[in-house]
């Protein structure tokens, strides 16, 4: 069954997500590059400035953590995916895949809240505060790890 722009979406049907991904070098210069690529995707999807800015901050934190704390993928880089679901209430899922590390990113605990004047250690608190949901997926086949964050609606990990 197909629909056109004039036809309403069939009841129960979900819009097809627009999925964009890119590979980046495993270095600090990739943080602004990844942020720029995601911003272009969000701009083309019509996201407002505030939503785009918050998503960009989360991209910066997750890519920054991948570069600082994880190994690159076997290919020597990291992958960033931005999936936009154009719905009545559009939503976005960001996923950053790296080669994993000895420690697993975990949800922050208030007792561990870092000093806000510190120059590091606040990344996952920021992700936790801005994203609607986020999580970590381990891929044992290739030892990679994906940290994902969603904004504005259901995700493939938690279809509400």
């Amino acid at each position: 069954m197909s629909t056109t722009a004039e036809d309403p979406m069939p009841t129960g049907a979900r819009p097809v997500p627009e999925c964009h991904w890119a590979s980046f070098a495993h270095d600090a210069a990739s943080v602004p590059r990844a942020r720029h690529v995601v911003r272009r995707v969000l701009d083309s999807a019509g996201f407002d400035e505030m939503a785009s800015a918050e998503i960009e901050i989360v991209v910066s934190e997750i890519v920054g953590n991948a570069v600082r704390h994880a190994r690159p993928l076997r290919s020597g880089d990291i992958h960033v995916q931005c999936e936009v679901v154009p719905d009545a209430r559009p939503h976005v899922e960001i996923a950053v895949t790296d080669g994993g590390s000895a420690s697993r990113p975990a949800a922050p605990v208030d007792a561990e809240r870092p000093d806000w004047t510190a120059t590091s250690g606040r990344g996952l608190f920021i992700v936790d505060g801005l994203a609607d949901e986020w999580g970590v997926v381990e891929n044992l086949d290739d030892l990679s790890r994906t940290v994902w964050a969603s904004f504005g609606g259901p995700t493939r990990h938690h279809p509400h």
Side-chain angles (χ1 to χ4, degrees):
M1 177 178 189
S2 65
T3 61
T4 64
E6 298 83 26
D7 294 334
M9 188 164 290
T11 304
R14 299 185 81 187
V16 176
E18 299 171 12
C19 191
H20 307 268
W21 72 275
S23 293
F24 296 95
H26 186 261
D27 63 43
S30 294
V31 175
R33 290 180 183 134
R35 196 173 52 237
H36 177 74
V37 167
V38 169
R39 171 57 83 135
R40 283 192 332 217
V41 170
L42 298 174
D43 285 349
S44 69
F47 278 80
D48 66 53
E49 181 62 31
M50 180 63 89
S52 294
E54 289 180 357
I55 294 168
E56 280 186 90
I57 290 168
V58 170
V59 167
S60 294
E61 294 300 333
I62 297 175
V63 172
N65 282 349
V67 169
R68 271 190 299 284
H69 303 297
R71 294 178 297 275
L73 293 164
R74 288 185 185 148
S75 57
D77 53 9
I78 59 173
H79 294 170
V80 177
Q81 179 176 318
C82 180
E83 186 174 289
V84 177
V85 179
D87 204 349
R89 183 175 162 217
H91 49 280
V92 176
E93 186 170 310
I94 302 296
V96 177
T97 303
D98 57 44
S101 66
S103 63
R104 178 182 167 95
V109 178
D110 282 338
E112 299 170 358
R113 186 170 299 279
D115 176 0
W116 290 105
T117 61
T119 58
S120 65
R122 297 184 308 269
L124 292 179
F125 280 97
I126 293 169
V127 171
D128 197 57
L130 293 177
D132 291 328
E133 294 181 277
W134 71 276
V136 180
V137 177
E138 303 284 346
N139 184 342
L140 299 178
D141 292 337
D142 65 1
L143 302 179
S144 67
R145 172 180 294 148
T146 300
V147 178
W148 60 270
S150 68
F151 305 84
T155 69
R156 62 189 151 143
H157 301 287
H158 299 283
H160 303 252

